[in-house]
Amino acid sequence: MELFFHYLTLDYLQKGVALSVGVTSIGLLGGLVLGLILASMQMARYRLLSGCARLYAVIFRGTPLILQMVFFYDALPLIGIKMSALVSAGIALACNEAPFIAEMLRSGVRGVDRGQVLAGEALGMSPFTLMRHIVAPQALRNMIPGFGNEAVSALKNSSLASFISVQELTLRSTQLASSTFDFFSVFFASGLLYLFLAGVVTALQLLAEYVFDLDRTASRHPLLRRLAAMRKGAAGPGTDDAIPVAKAVSSIPITAPRASVAPGEMMVEVKNLTKRFGDQTIFSGLNLKVQPGEVVALLGPSGSGKSTLLRCINRLEAWNAGDVHIHGQRVGFADDGRPLTPREVARQRAHYGVGMVFQHFNLFAHLTALDNIAGPLRWVHGVPEDEAKQRALELLERVGLLHRAHALPRHLSGGQQQRIAIARALAPQPSVLLLDEPTSALDPELVNEVLEVIQKLAVEDGLTMIISTHQLRFAKEVANRVIFLSGGVVAEDGPTADVLSRPKNPLTARFLSVMGNDANPVFAL
């Protein structure tokens, strides 16, 4: 046992530990850089780049690491590239780790809900902004356990550097055991040193998971504690009944700006729009005009193109033919007819002021309710942080959720999430608000709370709104006009009362009859 402790603290083995850490560090840092490049190439639109990345992965995942180390150390000098054994081992380990790290990065990015990406695009985020603030933070959080596992694997693989004479821990242990013939004590000490290093990596992984734990950081947010203290103080000492948090923040009326359109000009105009998915035509030659301040309800059976039309208006979907104009400007194209790049389309969305509320909420899962609203104001519109948060708090108060300002989306009910999504869409004061089946993903008991918020916006703010919905009572109470889509065309278009009470098209009449009798208690004309 005395010899064991002697070997455990022996300077000769400690230097081997340092070299093992050096090889592992070079391998992981280099692998991360190469992995980022490979992941970017694999997700690129150009097949040549993705093909090269996949060929690299096949080569380095399909050959043993020891051969790669020998190649870098012994073969490269033949063409004039000379490196030390330590550098050769580190670079070989980096090249070997790169495809594994690339797959972790790629799966992390692909794992972020597509709906959140669409929501970011609808808010006017450029691809870089979207990656930086929405996709990357969530992907990296999900990657922490996998990267910790890969770091431990790289540490163990660093022992193969002994084959090219790197005096790392394994080689020094072998040499020491050969000279002392005390194999058990030497390798037991060596094993404990490796175990200690792996324990350090595991501890760093757990620390990272703790630091980036969304539930912990959200629950300890300073502003949340301050609001809680204000609630307790307002309720009086020794009282558990607190006043609503909304009373703690001054209310400033929020009024959406009226669109700056010329007299007689349409706020939204769709001309001869054709959209196909492969061989399936969603609509062909569709025309639609929406005046400033008008609330239009889109009705129609599933598959009639309601959601697709809304996404085309906001250029979340490209189309095959036709044009969409907002404020008289052609969406998705420059003045000379050139198609805009994704970055330019993002700027155009932010400039025109088209907000969108999605069927499945599409809140950013890693951000609190407050940051879901304030974040896009800062990143897209350059609003100072304090002003963005104040605006967000005002909107949260308006939708009745100020007390949930620092709750994560997964801690909110469906109705609360949809109200947050509406507040987020209103934050930049859009001229047009698109709502895609805003209540279809909600439980029946949550529908009314969302419909009330939307109805209040329509009546008080005079927003131009286009709403895809199956809620006929809601359409009757809120919409100025109803458009019925069927078979990819506008089957009927007219004032709400006329269309819902006296439809001219048999398809409209059949749809209204089915919806009115299909266990739909909210339908009452």
Side-chain angles (χ1 to χ4, degrees), residues 409-453:
R410 63 174 175 267
H411 297 153
L412 299 170
S413 69
Q416 289 174 331
Q417 290 189 58
Q418 193 62 293
R419 282 188 279 163
I420 298 295
I422 292 171
R424 181 179 63 181
L426 288 176
Q429 297 185 318
S431 300
V432 181
L433 186 62
L434 309 176
L435 298 102
D436 183 14
E437 296 283 3
T439 60
S440 64
L442 301 177
D443 294 332
E445 62 269 18
L446 301 176
V447 169
N448 283 337
E449 68 180 63
V450 173
L451 294 183
E452 288 173 5
V453 171

Side-chain angles (χ1 to χ4, degrees), residues 24 28 65 93 97 147-158:
T24 303
L28 287 176
L65 175 58
L93 183 58
E97 289 291 327
F147 192 77
N149 182 67
E150 198 63 31
V152 172
S153 177
L155 174 65
K156 293 189 292 185
N157 286 336
S158 68

Side-chain angles (χ1 to χ4, degrees), residues 468-487:
S468 167
T469 182
H470 283 98
Q471 297 289 341
L472 301 184
R473 189 191 69 180
F474 173 63
K476 177 189 175 185
E477 294 177 353
V478 175
N480 311 116
R481 179 170 147 224
V482 167
I483 294 176
F484 181 74
L485 297 180
S486 180

Side-chain angles (χ1 to χ4, degrees), residues 191-212:
L192 282 182
L193 290 173
Y194 271 116
L195 187 61
F196 171 76
L197 293 176
V200 171
V201 172
T202 302
L204 290 175
Q205 173 192 328
L206 295 175
L207 177 62
E209 292 178 4
Y210 176 79
V211 169
F212 291 104

